[in-house]
Amino acid sequence: MSLIQNLYNKYHNIIQYFGFSVLSTILDTAAVWVLFHFCSTSLGVSNTIGVILGFILDFFLSAKFVFQTKYGVLSFLVYLVTFLFGLAVANFLIIQSYALAIQWVSEGLAFLFAKGVSIVLPFFVLYFIRKKLYACLNKRYQNHD
C-alpha cells in the first residue's frame, strides 16, 4: 500500500469532513453572491441565508458519511449546538488574533492572519467535539435498536 493510501485510510473521516466543509463553503459563498448581486438582497440577509444553506448541506453530508449517525432531531441538535459554539469560538479568535497581529503587520495581513486562525482552529475543534458527541449518540441509538 502506498503512503498516500495509508494516510487516507487512517484519516479518511477528517479528509471527508474537510471536503464537505469546502463544498458547504462553496454553496454558502455562491448563495450569498447570487442573492446579493442578482436579487438585490441585503448583504446581511444574503450572508445569513448562505450560512444556513451551507450548514444544512454540511449536516446532511457529515452526519451520515463522516460520523455515521442517523438523521434525527438529536443528531441535528448536536450539529446545531456545535455550529453555534464554533461560531462563538471563531468570532473570539478573529477578534483576538486581529488585535494581536495588527501590532506587527499591516491591516490587510492582520485580517488574513486572523481570518485564517478563525477558520482553522474551529474546524479541528468542531470535528473532534462532533466525533465524540456522535459516538455517544450512536451508542444510544444502538442501545435502543
Side-chain angles (χ1 to χ4, degrees), residues 11 29 31-32 39 75 91 95 104 117 126-127 129-130 141:
Y11 299 109
T29 304
V32 173
C39 300
S75 63
N91 285 340
I95 291 166
W104 292 292
V117 168
L126 288 182
Y127 172 76
I129 289 173
R130 286 173 174 162
Y141 284 147

Side-chain angles (χ1 to χ4, degrees), residues 8 12 15 63 84 89 92 124-125 139 143:
Y8 178 78
H12 73 277
I15 292 168
L84 294 173
V89 169
F92 173 80
F124 286 104
V125 168
K139 280 184 184 178
N143 291 337

Side-chain angles (χ1 to χ4, degrees), residues 1 6-7 22 26 29-31 37-38 71-72 82 87 92-93 103 122 124 131 134 138 141:
M1 226 184 253
N6 284 338
L7 288 173
V22 169
I26 290 169
T29 304
H37 290 289
F38 293 112
Y71 296 130
T82 56
L87 181 61
F92 173 80
L93 288 171
Q103 299 174 33
F124 286 104
K131 183 177 177 179
Y134 278 121
N138 288 339
Y141 284 147

Side-chain angles (χ1 to χ4, degrees), residues 101-116:
I102 196 68
Q103 299 174 33
W104 292 292
V105 297
S106 70
E107 189 175 309
L109 287 177
F111 170 78
L112 290 175
F113 170 75
K115 185 62 179 164

